[in-house]
Amino acid sequence: MSHHEYILGTRGSALALTQSRIAAETVTSLYTEHQAHHSAADAEVVDFTLRTVKTEGDVLTGPLATLGGTGVFAAALRQRLLDGENASEENRVDMAVHSLKDLPSAPCPGLVIAATLKREDPRDALVARDGLTLDTLPTGSRVGTGSPRRAAQLRVLRHDLEIVDIRGNVGTRIGRVKGLEEHAGKQVVLRQNAETSERADHGVGTERSGDCDAVVLAVSGLKRLGKEDLITEYLDPTRMLPAPGQGALALEVRESEFENPDPAALADAEVARPVRALGHALLAANHYETRLAVSAERALLRRLEAGCAAPIGAYAQVVEGDLVLNVVVASPDGTDMLRHTSATAELDVPGAERLGVRVAEDLLQMGAAALAGLDLK
């Protein structure tokens, strides 16, 4: 039995650390199962050591949509990966784990998303004071979110609400809700690869607490952090569509991990031809239905040239043998909205991407660019 050690790059927040651990454990266990199922003669064991990387999104203040959007959390991690063999031992990173909704939809030359883990619950959730729901919040209630997509859909559903722009980690955001201030007090971080619990009083987004009646967060993050009990309402996609990729974790590595790093080939080890154990392990961990769904959602986003600053929601899933894609495009002020649904029987990555592009073209014909303020080149 051969043993292989790899460095997993991660942000230092509690959610990033949790998601990185989930990814490491999932890859390790699924690769072990895969080898047992295929009766591998020389079994391989892969292990990961976590290494923190500070990103611009962790230190810059101001609305996230104006700071470079989704890319501010990914750029530093991606650079560490791209440094590759040129990096010093203390800076080396072999793999990065991203919340897929936070990853720019355009490919990054030199890198490839080698695996997408099985999707967690993709819905948005309301965390409100006194057990309130979206329908029972009093007129004029203050609802916090840093997402233009959530803000626009909230305004469509409840035009009487005051939408408050918020930043910070999950605990800090929950602490903005009246009665839940204690959740903003501390955050778990990784320092010199050892966990510590620090005061978060001076972190991004911690300037205020208890000043909102509710906040909207991703169900997936709350579940992974063990805070699902704080949810006062799960917002069904028929009311609020999630961000493209929401709930999914993307495992990104250098293209050099594969002889053929074409994303369409990464479902088949014989075609992708991994060059070492890491590539083999990631292909074993890839969840194909999730890969199809997020491929359609992200292809839509690429065609619309939109990022987290655009009020666009999308959710794809395999239903009775078809991949079905639901999309909403809203005006930022929530005064108007387009909804569109389409499907394909092509259950492969190229077919999923064609579905996303086709739906995007349909939406553009329906006036989505002008509605959402998209700057198409």
Side-chain angles (χ1 to χ4, degrees):
M1 180 178 292
S2 52
H3 190 270
H4 305 271
E5 293 272 357
Y6 299 104
I7 303 297
L8 194 165
T10 177
R11 293 171 59 212
S13 71
L15 182 57
L17 288 168
T18 299
Q19 292 181 161
S20 293
R21 286 197 195 88
I22 289 170
E25 293 168 2
T26 301
V27 171
T28 299
S29 62
L30 288 180
Y31 188 41
T32 299
E33 290 177 17
H34 173 82
Q35 292 179 99
H37 180 73
H38 290 84
S39 302
D42 182 22
E44 297 179 310
V45 175
V46 295
D47 276 329
F48 296 93
T49 298
L50 271 58
R51 176 168 289 160
T52 51
V53 177
K54 182 169 285 189
T55 74
E56 280 193 293
D58 296 316
V59 296
L60 294 176
T61 60
L64 182 60
T66 66
L67 298 177
T70 53
V72 298
F73 293 119
L77 283 168
R78 285 180 149 181
Q79 188 57 55
R80 287 287 188 92
L81 276 176
L82 288 168
D83 289 344
E85 301 304 320
N86 297 321
S88 60
E89 184 56 35
E90 64 269 20
N91 289 321
R92 182 172 66 90
V93 167
D94 299 305
M95 182 175 84
V97 177
H98 307 281
S99 292
L100 195 56
K101 73 179 180 66
D102 293 333
L103 199 62
S105 59
C108 182
L111 302 180
V112 64
I113 297 174
T116 307
L117 301 187
K118 186 176 181 180
R119 196 174 207 166
E120 182 51 272
D121 191 324
R123 292 176 294 178
D124 287 310
L126 190 77
V127 175
R129 63 173 176 85
D130 306 322
L132 293 168
T133 66
L134 192 56
D135 290 336
T136 60
L137 282 168
T139 298
S141 290
R142 291 166 54 86
V143 179
T145 176
S147 161
R149 170 192 61 83
R150 288 173 178 150
Q153 292 185 87
L154 282 169
R155 290 183 175 112
V156 171
L157 295 168
R158 287 286 307 270
H159 62 85
D160 60 298
L161 298 175
E162 180 184 351
I163 308 302
V164 180
D165 186 71
I166 62 173
R167 286 282 316 275
N169 60 39
V170 172
T172 298
R173 294 181 187 222
I174 293 171
R176 297 292 292 267
V177 179
K178 191 178 303 181
L180 299 178
E181 292 89 345
E182 72 275 9
H183 291 272
K186 291 186 178 180
Q187 61 181 349
V188 177
V189 297
L190 200 65
R191 297 286 185 235
Q192 283 78 48
N193 297 323
E195 277 192 22
T196 64
S197 182
E198 296 185 348
R199 294 296 301 175
D201 295 338
H202 303 294
V204 173
T206 59
E207 299 84 4
R208 299 180 182 177
S209 62
D211 62 328
C212 292
D213 298 288
V215 294
V216 180
L217 300 165
V219 171
S220 56
L222 293 168
K223 290 182 71 172
R224 287 167 180 152
L225 289 173
K227 297 180 181 293
E228 191 177 8
D229 62 320
L230 297 175
I231 296 174
T232 56
E233 183 180 7
Y234 294 86
L235 300 174
D236 192 89
T238 57
R239 302 189 76 194
M240 180 176 287
L241 276 174
Q246 186 161 304
L249 296 181
L251 280 52
E252 192 170 45
V253 296
R254 291 180 285 274
E255 286 184 342
S256 58
E257 294 293 343
F258 304 92
E259 290 184 25
N260 178 14
D262 181 353
L266 293 177
D268 189 332
E270 292 186 6
V271 179
R273 300 187 299 280
V275 299
R276 57 178 181 166
L278 178 59
H280 286 286
L282 291 173
L283 296 192
N286 190 48
H287 189 259
Y288 195 61
E289 280 197 14
T290 298
R291 185 71 173 233
L292 292 179
V294 299
S295 293
E297 295 164 15
R298 287 168 62 77
L300 167 104
L301 214 54
R302 278 196 301 275
R303 176 61 189 93
L304 295 178
E305 299 181 22
C308 74
I312 296 171
Y315 178 47
Q317 56 184 327
V318 177
V319 180
E320 297 180 352
D322 288 336
L323 180 63
V324 181
L325 176 60
N326 291 281
V327 183
V328 62
V329 178
S331 60
D333 62 4
T335 57
D336 202 0
M337 178 189 296
L338 289 173
R339 279 187 175 267
H340 189 47
T341 301
S342 191
T344 182
E346 296 182 274
L347 297 185
D348 55 24
V349 170
E353 291 182 339
R354 282 192 288 270
L355 172 63
V357 172
R358 187 175 77 242
V359 170
E361 296 290 355
D362 289 345
L363 287 164
L364 290 173
Q365 290 293 321
M366 297 162 67
L371 177 66
L374 304 178
D375 184 20
L376 298 179
K377 299 179 178 63

